[in-house]
Structure formats: C-alpha cells, structure tokens
Amino acid sequence: MESVNKLVKFESQVAGHDNILCLTTNDLMVFKPSSQQEREFYEASQQHEEFMDWIPECYGTLRSSTENEKELLDKGQDVAPVLSDNITDIPTDQLANLDDILFLCVCVCHLCLENILHGFTRPCIMDIKLGYKIYEDTADEAKRNKMIKNAQGTTIESLGLRISGMKIFDSVERHYTSYTKQYGRERTKDNFLDGLLSYFYPTYNLNNESNNNKWILEHFIDTVSDIQGFVEEHAELQLVGCSLLLVYEGDASAAQAAWKRMLEEDRQDDANIDKPVNDNDGVSGGADDAADADDDADAIQKDMEETGPKLCDIRLIDFGRSRWQPGRTEQEQSFIKALDNLMGLLDQVIEQSP
Ligand SMILES: Nc1ncnc2c1ncn2[C@@H]1O[C@H](COP(=O)(O)OP(=O)(O)O)[C@@H](O)[C@H]1O
Ligand SMILES: [Mg+2]
C-alpha cells in the first residue's frame, strides 16, 4: 500500500519534552504523546463548555494501525483497538480526511489535538508556563524536589511565569528567530518584560501592524482575565504546570487580511441583526478606534474560530499534571496571582509599545 499520509515532526513546536507530530497532508491537527492523566483531563473538560473555548479541541487519541487493520479499513470494516508503539509512519492513504483519522483515534499513545497554528501564515508563537507551584500535591518527595530545583532561580519563583520557548517572525527581514527554554530560564523578574517586548515587537517597525498589536494585546489580556475568573469560580479545576500558548500573525499582509476579514464579518453581523448600533460597532471602525474594540473581544473571538486567516489566538495547553477534582473546595491562590502578574506585564507591553 502506498504511503501518502505520514506522521512527521511538528516543526512549529516551541517547547516541551517530546516530539509533537503532525500529518503531511494537512495542518488541522497535532499529535502529542500523552499520559493517562492528560487524556483524562481533556475528557473531563468536555463537561465544561466555557473552559473548552480556552483549550485546543481534542479529537481523541491515536495509535498506529496494524497490517490486518489496514486490510479491514480497505474493506470498510470496523477495527478493534490494538496497541502499538510504532506511530511514526502510518501508511494511511485512507487518512485523507478527518473522519478517517477519527476512525483510527480510538486507543492510546498520542492525543490528537486541534492545531492552534492552523489558519496562520507566519505564526509568532510563545509558550508561557503558568503557576508558582508546578508539582502536584500527590507528587512523591523525589519528584517534588526535582520540580522545586527546576524552578529555582527562575521567574517561576518570582512571577509564577516562565517563558518556555518562542518562535518569532521578523516581517522586515523575513526570517524566524527561535528562543529556547534556556532563554526563558535566564529571564529575571526585571527583564521578563523585555522577553514579551521581543515577542510582540520583533522589528520595532512602526507600520500599521502596531495597530493590530495593541488590539491583540488587549484581546490576550481580556482572555487571561476570563480564564482567571473561571478558575476562581471553579475550585475543582486544579491547573498545575500548564502553559498558555500565545500566537499572532507575523506576516504583515496576512495580518491585514485577517483584520479586514474580521471587520467585514462584523459589518455583516451588524447588518444581519438589523440594528443601527450594537456592540460590534467599535470593531467595525476598529482600525482607528482601538478603545471601542476592547468591548468586542467575544465577537472577534467567534470570528477567529472560523476557518480563514487568523490574527491571533491564545489557549491553555499541557495538562499532564492538571486534574478536575470534584469536591475540591479551595482554589490555589498563587495560580490566580500568576495570571495577575501576566496581565500586569501585558499592560506594560501596551504602555511601552513603540
Ligand atoms: N494544540 C497545539 N497546537 C499547536 N501547537 C501545539 C499544540 N500543543 C502543543 N503545541 C506545541 O508543542 C509544544 C509542547 O507542548 P506541551 O503540551 O507543552 O508538551 P510538553 O508536555 O512536552 O511540555 C508547545 O510549546 C507548542 O509549541
Ligand atoms: Mg509544555
């Protein structure tokens, strides 16, 4: 059988231990080696619709098909789950569309997740680890000590935040720059902001993209604030060692196209609801009225979720140590504080924008 669809290394991964994989034929999904705990977390999250907006959609788990299964697939028959470690080369000319992939996503190994970078031309990506406490209460002493040592002297201790990695497109020089985990470990409380400025303003080029950047920053702050509100109200949600994945479009013309599309869709929404003034008006005039645009994050978020050029996205990822714990009655206040710190820093980025 000819191999037309392979799983290969996901080149846009900016942090993490294991190789994230993707398919060669489309960029809709990524495949993350996962623990039972992370799989359970995604499953339990399905009960919380609001929270699902802030995490990648999870399509199931993937394992490789056996020769026997491939034959059965060819014949259009059902396949019973079989474990296998070899998932790097699935000869799956059947996997040409989502349904076929979901058909195979029945067992263990890799979580099949929505690729947050889908819809971007030149995504600028930053992974920020969240929380002062990055070990679980259930961790044994050795694990706990290892995690504490790992956080020592980093901004996890001082801010409850650490840059795990970044990949930034310079739209003037037209090349990517990557920042490793080491870069994040070397940040201090006092120069963390420089890291954020490098991410949001790689070129210090005063063209119209700075207009978008202010809107993007405000959108990120609003989303972090919404997440914080949700976490405060849901003590049963224990987030440990998760990250925020921030993405914005680094290609100036693609960003412009995304911006125009959002404005156009808002105009259409306005027309459709047959109301001369509504919440979306600020965004309709948004390119030159960023203040009003603040109020329209929800409407724009909805726009961005549809296919088409995307201007930005922000999601929680990496739940290997997180849990939904029914009956837990107190939320970890230091996690809330870490989110406060991030919002404060993003505010400072806006203030210091070129
Ligand atoms: N759903 C996703 N869409 C796009 N990129 C992702 C997605 N999930 C993870 N990544 C990329 O992979 C990296 C590592 O993912 P993460 O879940 O943090 O794994 P680890 O448990 O190894 O830290 C992230 O920093 C990001 O670059
Ligand atoms: Mg991670």
mmCIF file of all heavy atoms in Angstrom, residues 15-16 127 129 241 243 317-318, ligand 2:
data_model
loop_
_atom_site.group_PDB
_atom_site.id
_atom_site.type_symbol
_atom_site.label_atom_id
_atom_site.label_comp_id
_atom_site.label_asym_id
_atom_site.label_seq_id
_atom_site.Cartn_x
_atom_site.Cartn_y
_atom_site.Cartn_z
ATOM 1 N N ALA A 15 8.401 24.395 22.535
ATOM 2 C CA ALA A 15 8.859 23.952 23.863
ATOM 3 C C ALA A 15 8.433 22.505 24.065
ATOM 4 O O ALA A 15 7.859 21.884 23.169
ATOM 5 C CB ALA A 15 8.246 24.845 24.943
ATOM 6 N N GLY A 16 8.717 21.987 25.260
ATOM 7 C CA GLY A 16 8.231 20.648 25.599
ATOM 8 C C GLY A 16 9.291 19.581 25.491
ATOM 9 O O GLY A 16 10.357 19.806 24.924
ATOM 10 N N ASP A 127 5.235 30.139 24.340
ATOM 11 C CA ASP A 127 4.704 29.223 25.355
ATOM 12 C C ASP A 127 5.123 29.772 26.710
ATOM 13 O O ASP A 127 6.311 29.901 26.996
ATOM 14 C CB ASP A 127 5.292 27.822 25.095
ATOM 15 C CG ASP A 127 4.868 26.777 26.130
ATOM 16 O OD1 ASP A 127 4.789 27.111 27.327
ATOM 17 O OD2 ASP A 127 4.660 25.619 25.731
ATOM 18 N N LYS A 129 4.816 29.117 30.695
ATOM 19 C CA LYS A 129 4.433 28.190 31.782
ATOM 20 C C LYS A 129 3.811 28.995 32.908
ATOM 21 O O LYS A 129 4.284 30.088 33.246
ATOM 22 C CB LYS A 129 5.698 27.449 32.213
ATOM 23 C CG LYS A 129 5.597 26.594 33.375
ATOM 24 C CD LYS A 129 5.292 25.121 33.199
ATOM 25 C CE LYS A 129 5.872 24.286 32.114
ATOM 26 N NZ LYS A 129 4.965 23.213 31.699
ATOM 27 N N GLY A 241 1.323 23.245 36.246
ATOM 28 C CA GLY A 241 2.340 23.091 35.200
ATOM 29 C C GLY A 241 1.807 23.248 33.782
ATOM 30 O O GLY A 241 2.443 22.811 32.830
ATOM 31 N N SER A 243 0.517 25.572 30.421
ATOM 32 C CA SER A 243 1.071 26.752 29.741
ATOM 33 C C SER A 243 -0.020 27.515 29.027
ATOM 34 O O SER A 243 -1.083 26.969 28.744
ATOM 35 C CB SER A 243 2.074 26.323 28.662
ATOM 36 O OG SER A 243 3.259 25.853 29.193
ATOM 37 N N ILE A 317 -2.586 25.016 27.329
ATOM 38 C CA ILE A 317 -2.164 23.688 26.847
ATOM 39 C C ILE A 317 -1.386 22.983 27.965
ATOM 40 O O ILE A 317 -1.083 23.587 28.984
ATOM 41 C CB ILE A 317 -1.265 23.764 25.583
ATOM 42 C CG1 ILE A 317 0.009 24.586 25.851
ATOM 43 C CG2 ILE A 317 -2.022 24.308 24.386
ATOM 44 C CD1 ILE A 317 1.110 24.378 24.836
ATOM 45 N N ASP A 318 -1.069 21.725 27.724
ATOM 46 C CA ASP A 318 -0.164 20.952 28.570
ATOM 47 C C ASP A 318 -0.756 20.636 29.946
ATOM 48 O O ASP A 318 -0.464 21.305 30.944
ATOM 49 C CB ASP A 318 1.166 21.724 28.733
ATOM 50 C CG ASP A 318 2.291 20.803 29.182
ATOM 51 O OD1 ASP A 318 2.011 19.617 29.421
ATOM 52 O OD2 ASP A 318 3.428 21.280 29.304
HETATM 53 MG MG MG B 2 4.818 22.143 27.969
#
